[in-house]
Short mmCIF file of all heavy atoms in Angstrom, two decimals:
data_model
loop_
_atom_site.label_atom_id
_atom_site.label_comp_id
_atom_site.label_asym_id
_atom_site.label_seq_id
_atom_site.Cartn_x
_atom_site.Cartn_y
_atom_site.Cartn_z
N ILE A 1 118.76 139.07 115.58
CA ILE A 1 117.66 138.17 115.29
C ILE A 1 118.18 136.76 115.02
O ILE A 1 117.64 135.77 115.53
CB ILE A 1 116.85 138.68 114.08
CG1 ILE A 1 116.11 139.96 114.47
CG2 ILE A 1 115.86 137.63 113.60
CD1 ILE A 1 115.44 140.66 113.30
N LEU A 2 119.23 136.65 114.24
CA LEU A 2 119.81 135.34 113.95
C LEU A 2 120.30 134.66 115.23
O LEU A 2 120.12 133.45 115.41
CB LEU A 2 120.96 135.47 112.96
CG LEU A 2 120.55 135.75 111.50
CD1 LEU A 2 121.76 136.15 110.67
CD2 LEU A 2 119.87 134.53 110.90
N SER A 3 120.89 135.44 116.11
CA SER A 3 121.35 134.89 117.38
C SER A 3 120.19 134.37 118.21
O SER A 3 120.27 133.28 118.80
CB SER A 3 122.12 135.96 118.16
OG SER A 3 122.51 135.48 119.44
N GLU A 4 119.09 135.12 118.24
CA GLU A 4 117.91 134.70 119.00
C GLU A 4 117.29 133.44 118.40
O GLU A 4 116.87 132.53 119.12
CB GLU A 4 116.90 135.84 119.03
CG GLU A 4 117.35 137.02 119.87
CD GLU A 4 116.51 138.27 119.65
OE1 GLU A 4 115.69 138.27 118.73
OE2 GLU A 4 116.69 139.23 120.43
N ILE A 5 117.24 133.37 117.07
CA ILE A 5 116.69 132.20 116.39
C ILE A 5 117.50 130.95 116.75
O ILE A 5 116.93 129.88 117.02
CB ILE A 5 116.69 132.42 114.87
CG1 ILE A 5 115.56 133.38 114.48
CG2 ILE A 5 116.56 131.10 114.11
CD1 ILE A 5 115.58 133.83 113.03
N LYS A 6 118.81 131.07 116.81
CA LYS A 6 119.66 129.92 117.10
C LYS A 6 119.63 129.51 118.57
O LYS A 6 120.06 128.42 118.90
CB LYS A 6 121.10 130.21 116.66
CG LYS A 6 121.26 130.28 115.14
CD LYS A 6 122.71 130.36 114.72
CE LYS A 6 123.33 131.69 115.07
NZ LYS A 6 124.71 131.79 114.53
N ARG A 7 119.08 130.36 119.41
CA ARG A 7 119.00 130.05 120.84
C ARG A 7 117.80 129.17 121.19
O ARG A 7 117.72 128.65 122.29
CB ARG A 7 118.90 131.33 121.67
CG ARG A 7 120.17 132.14 121.76
CD ARG A 7 119.92 133.47 122.43
NE ARG A 7 119.30 133.29 123.75
CZ ARG A 7 118.63 134.23 124.39
NH1 ARG A 7 118.45 135.42 123.82
NH2 ARG A 7 118.13 134.01 125.58
N ALA A 8 116.86 129.02 120.25
CA ALA A 8 115.58 128.38 120.59
C ALA A 8 115.25 127.21 119.66
O ALA A 8 115.24 127.38 118.43
CB ALA A 8 114.46 129.42 120.54
N ARG A 9 114.96 126.07 120.24
CA ARG A 9 114.50 124.93 119.44
C ARG A 9 113.09 125.18 118.91
O ARG A 9 112.75 124.75 117.81
CB ARG A 9 114.53 123.65 120.28
CG ARG A 9 114.07 122.45 119.47
CD ARG A 9 113.96 121.20 120.28
NE ARG A 9 113.42 120.12 119.47
CZ ARG A 9 112.85 119.03 119.94
NH1 ARG A 9 112.75 118.85 121.25
NH2 ARG A 9 112.37 118.11 119.13
N PHE A 10 112.26 125.85 119.71
CA PHE A 10 110.86 126.05 119.36
C PHE A 10 110.63 127.49 118.92
O PHE A 10 111.30 128.42 119.38
CB PHE A 10 109.96 125.72 120.55
CG PHE A 10 110.14 124.32 121.07
CD1 PHE A 10 110.93 124.07 122.19
CD2 PHE A 10 109.58 123.24 120.42
CE1 PHE A 10 111.13 122.79 122.66
CE2 PHE A 10 109.78 121.95 120.86
CZ PHE A 10 110.55 121.72 121.99
N SER A 11 109.67 127.67 118.01
CA SER A 11 109.37 129.01 117.50
C SER A 11 107.88 129.16 117.25
O SER A 11 107.22 128.22 116.79
CB SER A 11 110.12 129.28 116.18
OG SER A 11 111.51 129.16 116.33
N ILE A 12 107.38 130.36 117.52
CA ILE A 12 106.01 130.73 117.15
C ILE A 12 106.12 131.93 116.21
O ILE A 12 106.69 132.97 116.58
CB ILE A 12 105.16 131.09 118.38
CG1 ILE A 12 105.02 129.86 119.29
CG2 ILE A 12 103.78 131.60 117.94
CD1 ILE A 12 104.27 130.14 120.59
N HIS A 13 105.58 131.79 115.01
CA HIS A 13 105.61 132.85 114.00
C HIS A 13 104.17 133.25 113.67
O HIS A 13 103.44 132.44 113.09
CB HIS A 13 106.32 132.37 112.74
CG HIS A 13 107.75 132.00 112.95
ND1 HIS A 13 108.78 132.92 112.85
CD2 HIS A 13 108.34 130.81 113.25
CE1 HIS A 13 109.93 132.30 113.08
NE2 HIS A 13 109.69 131.02 113.32
N ASP A 14 103.80 134.45 114.05
CA ASP A 14 102.46 134.94 113.71
C ASP A 14 102.59 135.87 112.50
O ASP A 14 103.09 136.99 112.60
CB ASP A 14 101.82 135.67 114.88
CG ASP A 14 100.35 135.94 114.65
OD1 ASP A 14 99.94 136.07 113.47
OD2 ASP A 14 99.58 136.01 115.62
N LEU A 15 102.10 135.41 111.35
CA LEU A 15 102.21 136.17 110.12
C LEU A 15 100.89 136.85 109.75
O LEU A 15 100.62 137.12 108.59
CB LEU A 15 102.66 135.22 108.99
CG LEU A 15 103.92 134.40 109.29
CD1 LEU A 15 104.33 133.62 108.05
CD2 LEU A 15 105.05 135.26 109.78
N SER A 16 100.08 137.14 110.77
CA SER A 16 98.74 137.66 110.51
C SER A 16 98.73 139.09 109.99
O SER A 16 97.69 139.55 109.52
CB SER A 16 97.90 137.58 111.79
OG SER A 16 98.50 138.28 112.85
N ARG A 17 99.84 139.81 110.06
CA ARG A 17 99.86 141.18 109.56
C ARG A 17 100.51 141.30 108.18
O ARG A 17 100.71 142.40 107.69
CB ARG A 17 100.61 142.08 110.54
CG ARG A 17 100.05 142.09 111.95
CD ARG A 17 98.78 142.88 112.05
NE ARG A 17 98.30 142.91 113.43
CZ ARG A 17 98.72 143.74 114.36
NH1 ARG A 17 99.65 144.64 114.06
NH2 ARG A 17 98.21 143.69 115.58
N THR A 18 100.84 140.19 107.57
CA THR A 18 101.56 140.23 106.30
C THR A 18 100.76 140.91 105.20
O THR A 18 101.31 141.60 104.34
CB THR A 18 101.92 138.79 105.86
OG1 THR A 18 102.65 138.16 106.90
CG2 THR A 18 102.75 138.81 104.60
N GLU A 19 99.44 140.76 105.25
CA GLU A 19 98.61 141.35 104.19
C GLU A 19 98.60 142.87 104.26
O GLU A 19 98.19 143.53 103.29
CB GLU A 19 97.18 140.80 104.26
CG GLU A 19 96.30 141.38 105.38
CD GLU A 19 96.53 140.69 106.72
OE1 GLU A 19 97.51 139.94 106.84
OE2 GLU A 19 95.72 140.93 107.64
N SER A 20 99.04 143.45 105.38
CA SER A 20 99.07 144.91 105.50
C SER A 20 100.49 145.45 105.39
O SER A 20 100.84 146.44 106.02
CB SER A 20 98.43 145.33 106.83
OG SER A 20 99.12 144.73 107.93
N ALA A 21 101.31 144.76 104.61
CA ALA A 21 102.70 145.19 104.32
C ALA A 21 103.58 145.21 105.55
O ALA A 21 104.46 146.06 105.68
CB ALA A 21 102.67 146.57 103.65
N ARG A 22 103.37 144.26 106.47
CA ARG A 22 104.27 144.09 107.61
C ARG A 22 105.18 142.89 107.29
O ARG A 22 104.80 141.74 107.53
CB ARG A 22 103.46 143.86 108.89
CG ARG A 22 102.57 145.01 109.29
CD ARG A 22 103.37 146.16 109.88
NE ARG A 22 103.93 145.79 111.17
CZ ARG A 22 103.26 145.93 112.31
NH1 ARG A 22 102.03 146.39 112.33
NH2 ARG A 22 103.83 145.59 113.45
N TYR A 23 106.34 143.15 106.72
CA TYR A 23 107.15 142.08 106.15
C TYR A 23 108.23 141.54 107.07
O TYR A 23 108.90 140.56 106.73
CB TYR A 23 107.79 142.56 104.83
CG TYR A 23 106.76 142.95 103.78
CD1 TYR A 23 106.90 144.12 103.06
CD2 TYR A 23 105.67 142.13 103.53
CE1 TYR A 23 105.95 144.47 102.10
CE2 TYR A 23 104.72 142.46 102.57
CZ TYR A 23 104.87 143.64 101.86
OH TYR A 23 103.94 143.99 100.92
N ASN A 24 108.46 142.19 108.21
CA ASN A 24 109.48 141.69 109.13
C ASN A 24 109.17 140.27 109.59
O ASN A 24 110.07 139.43 109.70
CB ASN A 24 109.60 142.61 110.35
CG ASN A 24 110.36 143.87 110.06
OD1 ASN A 24 110.95 144.02 109.00
ND2 ASN A 24 110.31 144.80 111.00
N MET A 25 107.90 139.99 109.88
CA MET A 25 107.53 138.68 110.41
C MET A 25 107.80 137.55 109.40
O MET A 25 108.43 136.56 109.75
CB MET A 25 106.09 138.65 110.88
CG MET A 25 105.90 139.21 112.29
SD MET A 25 106.04 141.01 112.38
CE MET A 25 104.48 141.50 111.65
N PRO A 26 107.35 137.64 108.14
CA PRO A 26 107.68 136.57 107.19
C PRO A 26 109.17 136.47 106.92
O PRO A 26 109.70 135.37 106.69
CB PRO A 26 106.90 136.93 105.93
CG PRO A 26 106.48 138.33 106.09
CD PRO A 26 106.38 138.60 107.56
N PHE A 27 109.89 137.60 106.97
CA PHE A 27 111.35 137.55 106.78
C PHE A 27 112.00 136.75 107.91
O PHE A 27 112.85 135.89 107.66
CB PHE A 27 111.90 138.97 106.74
CG PHE A 27 113.39 139.02 106.60
CD1 PHE A 27 114.01 138.67 105.41
CD2 PHE A 27 114.19 139.43 107.66
CE1 PHE A 27 115.40 138.71 105.29
CE2 PHE A 27 115.57 139.48 107.54
CZ PHE A 27 116.17 139.13 106.36
N GLU A 28 111.60 137.00 109.15
CA GLU A 28 112.18 136.28 110.28
C GLU A 28 111.79 134.81 110.26
O GLU A 28 112.59 133.94 110.64
CB GLU A 28 111.77 136.95 111.60
CG GLU A 28 112.43 138.32 111.78
CD GLU A 28 111.94 139.06 112.99
OE1 GLU A 28 111.43 138.40 113.94
OE2 GLU A 28 112.09 140.31 113.03
#
């Protein structure tokens, strides 16, 4: 994941599932 993050200047983070205990997205 860290390698993928460093490969991209732009990012889209959809945190719409955080309220249902899906924590991978806010962590990333």
Side-chain angles (χ1 to χ4, degrees):
I1 291 172
L2 286 168
S3 176
E4 291 167 351
I5 285 172
K6 291 189 289 186
R7 287 172 55 200
R9 180 185 176 200
F10 303 100
S11 301
I12 297 176
H13 298 272
D14 192 331
L15 308 185
S16 57
R17 302 286 182 83
T18 304
E19 76 277 12
S20 58
R22 297 285 292 273
Y23 299 134
N24 283 351
M25 277 74 74
F27 178 71
E28 290 174 22

